[in-house]
Amino acid sequence: MAIVLAKSFPDGGRLAVWKIEESLEELIALSFNPDNLRQAVSSKLLEKRKLELVATRLLLQVLTGEFVQVEYLSSGKPYLADNRFRISLSHTDGYAAAFIHPDQDPGIDIEYISTRVMRIQNRFLSQPEIAALQPDDPLTQTLILWSAKESAFKALDKEGVDFREQLVSDPFTLRAEGIFKIQELRTEEQIIFPIQYWVNGEYVLTATVGEGIYKIPASRQV
């Protein structure tokens, strides 16, 4: 199994990343219920999408210790049929990620490092956010912010969120892993999401939960 990152948190949250190097049949063979998983892979899907779907199911199997049935709300949000955990799923070129939590809505996003994100930077970052980017690596920091806003959006679970105006990030110093915050301005609660992030040579990964249980360093608390 190609698990390249696995994290467990004190509150019961768990996440993992899978590097997809296997064929579709090799992935399906790793399932506790290969027949069910094979039926879940629609023939209409592109091969890449099939690989991503199966990899996320295998990650859930790893995180829960058993085969689980994934369903989808009309919004596209995934959930487990038995509701034993709340889940969030993501995938990018060659990687899949999953995050489970016993009682809070998690958000996870993984993004392959590419310059494409710079072409849409103004769509999801405000001018103050762009001005706060570190000049030595604005690409990676921009990608982390895009990923972080995706994770916060998933954890918030509200439609019609303006990433540029309603998800506001806190400036942070880029490291291999770290934590910063994003505040949503979409609801009356204006929830603050502590965002945990990881960077390697091929992808960035971000994760958060609906009530922000991951500690922000004391100097950064709101």
Side-chain angles (χ1 to χ4, degrees), residues 25 44 99 131 140 150 157 162 173 215 218:
E25 281 304 316
K44 296 180 181 179
F99 189 6
T140 301
E150 281 282 348
D157 194 25
D162 185 323
T173 300
K215 284 187 177 180

Side-chain angles (χ1 to χ4, degrees), residues 64-119:
T64 65
E66 60 186 74
F67 180 83
V68 292
Q69 187 69 38
V70 178
E71 306 289 349
Y72 290 88
L73 299 175
S74 58
S75 64
K77 181 182 176 66
Y79 68 95
L80 297 185
D82 63 7
N83 289 313
R84 192 158 58 88
F85 291 97
R86 301 183 191 183
I87 66 172
S88 182
L89 307 174
S90 184
H91 50 78
T92 191
D93 292 349
Y95 290 92
F99 189 6
I100 68 171
H101 197 280
D103 53 31
Q104 295 188 49
D105 285 323
I108 194 168
D109 186 74
I110 188 167
E111 299 288 343
Y112 193 81
I113 296 175
S114 165
T115 59
R116 290 176 296 180
V117 73
M118 302 303 285
R119 295 198 293 267

Side-chain angles (χ1 to χ4, degrees), residues 25-99:
E25 281 304 316
E26 286 172 336
L27 285 174
I28 290 175
L30 295 172
S31 174
F32 293 158
N33 192 338
D35 290 339
N36 182 294
L37 190 54
R38 190 174 286 108
Q39 291 175 7
V41 181
S42 168
S43 60
K44 296 180 181 179
L45 294 175
L46 296 175
E47 188 72 8
K48 178 177 180 290
R49 182 68 185 98
K50 291 178 183 180
L51 289 167
E52 293 166 347
L53 186 150
V54 173
T56 55
R57 300 306 185 272
L58 291 176
L59 282 170
L60 291 174
Q61 177 177 288
V62 169
L63 292 170
T64 65
E66 60 186 74
F67 180 83
V68 292
Q69 187 69 38
V70 178
E71 306 289 349
Y72 290 88
L73 299 175
S74 58
S75 64
K77 181 182 176 66
Y79 68 95
L80 297 185
D82 63 7
N83 289 313
R84 192 158 58 88
F85 291 97
R86 301 183 191 183
I87 66 172
S88 182
L89 307 174
S90 184
H91 50 78
T92 191
D93 292 349
Y95 290 92
F99 189 6

Side-chain angles (χ1 to χ4, degrees), residues 5 7 9 144 172-180 195-200 205:
L5 179 70
K7 297 288 182 181
F9 302 100
I144 289 171
F172 67 99
T173 300
L174 181 61
R175 299 183 175 90
E177 63 179 87
I179 191 166
F180 65 100
I195 304 289
Q196 192 137 4
Y197 73 88
W198 297 264
V199 182
N200 80 358
L205 176 77

